[in-house]
Amino acid sequence: IIGVIFIIPNFSYAQDSLCNKNEQVIFSCSISKKMVSVCGSQDLSKEKGTIYYVFGKPKSIELRYPENLQNSKDKFEFIRTHYNNDLSFKEIGLRFVNNKTQYSLYVSKQYKEIYSGIQLEGENIKDNFTTLGCDLKKASLSLFESTYKDNFLNNQEMSDLLYSNWSNDFVANNLNISNVDLKNNKIIMYDAIPLDDNKFALMLILETKDQASLSGETDNRTLLILQKNNENKWDVVIRNANIILSRGGMNDPFENVVIGNNNILFGFQGIRWSESYRFNYDAKSDEWYLAKLTGGSATQNENGDNDVDSHNYSYPEHLKYVRLKDFYSQDFSSKDLEYLK
């Protein structure tokens, strides 16, 4: 939200949105007495069209992004979130950065329930992060999905994979992956990661089929990142059994994975702590590097209230040497890496 006020008279709006009547309403919801909308031109497609975010009231617009609609599609990024403990929970978001603040609009579906809201992250936000729930006026998970698939996703192979069921048999028969044991492992999470130049990578998280013991504890899960080689076959470029935390007793700290363009975020949460690690793909070196670490812990004070110690670190270019293939989550916490800030 964060912006300046524009007084816009005599403007014809689509119902329950701040979009013009001749525009597509991609997303619209209300927060208190104001509205948030994402609007697209009628000619929006993979090859052309415009899209913008707008917040405020019909006659008092507080923020419109971007102001210049030329190449506006390039300023937005669709993200997909997978939740480990509830595979019925689907979430798609639209993300952009304006004035050092990251905006993430999301639509979630859990069984028949629909949730929506905006997450704000940045130095201009209290505690660097907040989530605002909103009353959805016009949008749906399928509308977000179709907007992404029809207007932003240019790689047909990636599109086909995204909307396929990646069973063990499907992966074994269609992806032609070598050195991956699918007989003794099951796929617990998967996705395709958009890269530059119309390329993409694949993410698989495996768990041994007999992993859970009587105590409920598990061995480490294995993360695989696959990219195509010059022969158009999939190679495992990252195999890391130390990043996806395992379950201990009744507690499973592995919370979610968030997929964006050239980036992937792993989220973990315990009873009184949380950590997330974001890695960006660098095409020049063909490596995935740690780009951002956020986290927090809570302790009870003498009054019984929670004292929260939060961390939010981004890493400058000359320090991006922590590679995803070498990453060991138990060795990296926000406090351990404070000197990298």
Side-chain angles (χ1 to χ4, degrees):
I1 311 188
I2 302 176
V4 295
I5 296 178
F6 302 89
I7 306 299
I8 303 180
N10 301 322
F11 195 84
S12 180
Y13 291 96
Q15 185 176 4
D16 290 331
S17 82
L18 294 175
C19 302
N20 191 313
K21 280 190 174 180
N22 62 6
E23 294 174 328
Q24 300 182 49
V25 182
I26 297 171
F27 177 95
S28 190
C29 72
S30 61
I31 299 177
S32 297
K33 296 182 179 181
K34 300 179 181 180
M35 295 193 72
V36 169
S37 297
V38 176
C39 313
S41 58
Q42 288 292 346
D43 64 346
L44 184 63
S45 67
K46 290 181 173 68
E47 294 77 23
K48 59 182 179 179
T50 59
I51 185 173
Y52 66 91
Y53 165 95
V54 59
F55 168 74
K57 297 180 179 179
K59 294 185 178 182
S60 181
I61 300 301
E62 297 183 31
L63 176 62
R64 187 189 299 272
Y65 178 87
E67 293 183 24
N68 183 350
L69 293 181
Q70 185 175 3
N71 299 320
S72 59
K73 285 172 58 180
D74 297 338
K75 300 183 185 298
F76 291 87
E77 172 189 23
F78 272 90
I79 54 177
R80 297 179 305 284
T81 302
H82 303 270
Y83 290 91
N84 173 46
N85 292 321
D86 191 348
L87 297 181
S88 71
F89 203 126
K90 297 182 178 180
E91 182 172 298
I92 295 181
L94 187 65
R95 184 164 66 190
F96 66 92
V97 176
N98 179 50
N99 192 28
K100 296 183 179 180
T101 298
Q102 177 178 277
Y103 295 69
S104 299
L105 290 74
Y106 66 87
V107 179
S108 301
K109 183 178 182 181
Q110 187 177 30
Y111 299 107
K112 295 183 179 181
E113 296 295 326
I114 300 294
Y115 307 90
S116 64
I118 306 173
Q119 294 177 342
L120 303 173
E121 182 177 351
E123 59 186 40
N124 296 321
I125 306 300
K126 183 180 179 181
D127 297 327
N128 293 318
F129 182 87
T130 190
T131 298
L132 303 173
C134 63
D135 180 16
L136 200 61
K137 296 298 184 182
K138 186 168 183 179
S140 66
L141 197 68
S142 60
L143 178 59
F144 253 25
E145 277 190 318
S146 61
T147 300
Y148 173 59
K149 185 177 181 182
D150 297 340
N151 304 304
F152 284 79
L153 187 54
N154 294 317
N155 190 306
Q156 186 60 49
E157 182 183 10
M158 177 178 167
S159 179
D160 292 341
L161 283 171
L162 273 179
Y163 297 97
S164 299
N165 180 15
W166 291 22
S167 64
N168 281 34
D169 289 341
F170 175 85
V171 171
N173 296 330
N174 292 276
L175 299 186
N176 191 25
I177 305 171
S178 60
N179 300 322
V180 176
D181 181 7
L182 294 174
K183 291 183 178 180
N184 298 309
N185 290 275
K186 62 179 179 180
I187 300 168
I188 63 169
M189 198 174 288
Y190 62 86
D191 206 338
I193 311 170
L195 305 178
D196 291 336
D197 299 324
N198 206 26
K199 297 179 180 179
F200 68 101
L202 302 181
M203 177 209 72
L204 292 169
I205 298 177
L206 306 180
E207 183 178 86
T208 55
K209 292 180 179 179
D210 59 348
Q211 204 166 26
S213 67
L214 294 177
S215 65
E217 296 183 355
T218 65
D219 298 327
N220 285 333
R221 293 129 170 174
T222 300
L223 166 73
L224 302 178
I225 301 292
L226 299 89
Q227 293 173 218
K228 281 206 169 172
N229 59 28
N230 294 331
E231 297 178 353
N232 206 35
K233 294 183 179 180
W234 292 104
D235 283 341
V236 178
V237 296
I238 293 175
R239 187 190 303 265
N240 188 325
N242 297 312
I243 184 171
I244 307 299
L245 297 178
S246 58
R247 182 169 60 247
M250 298 298 293
N251 179 40
D252 189 346
F254 177 33
E255 183 179 22
N256 60 21
V257 171
V258 183
I259 301 289
N261 296 342
N262 297 294
N263 63 79
I264 183 170
L265 179 145
F266 304 94
F268 306 92
Q269 185 168 336
I271 297 175
R272 293 188 177 276
W273 63 272
S274 65
E275 294 280 353
S276 66
Y277 314 106
R278 175 172 167 170
F279 293 84
N280 290 352
Y281 176 68
D282 179 67
K284 291 182 179 179
S285 62
D286 195 26
E287 288 282 3
W288 292 81
Y289 291 103
L290 181 65
K292 191 169 189 178
L293 186 153
T294 60
S297 60
T299 56
Q300 282 192 331
N301 58 32
E302 57 186 12
N303 297 321
D305 299 323
N306 286 333
D307 289 329
V308 178
D309 180 19
S310 61
H311 314 276
N312 190 331
Y313 298 145
S314 297
Y315 301 102
E317 289 293 310
H318 68 279
L319 287 176
K320 62 172 190 182
Y321 62 84
V322 181
R323 302 184 301 180
L324 177 54
K325 65 174 60 175
D326 305 322
F327 191 81
Y328 186 31
S329 56
Q330 294 181 355
D331 282 350
F332 287 82
S333 71
S334 46
K335 291 183 178 179
D336 296 332
L337 294 176
E338 185 171 3
Y339 67 92
L340 289 179
K341 188 179 180 184

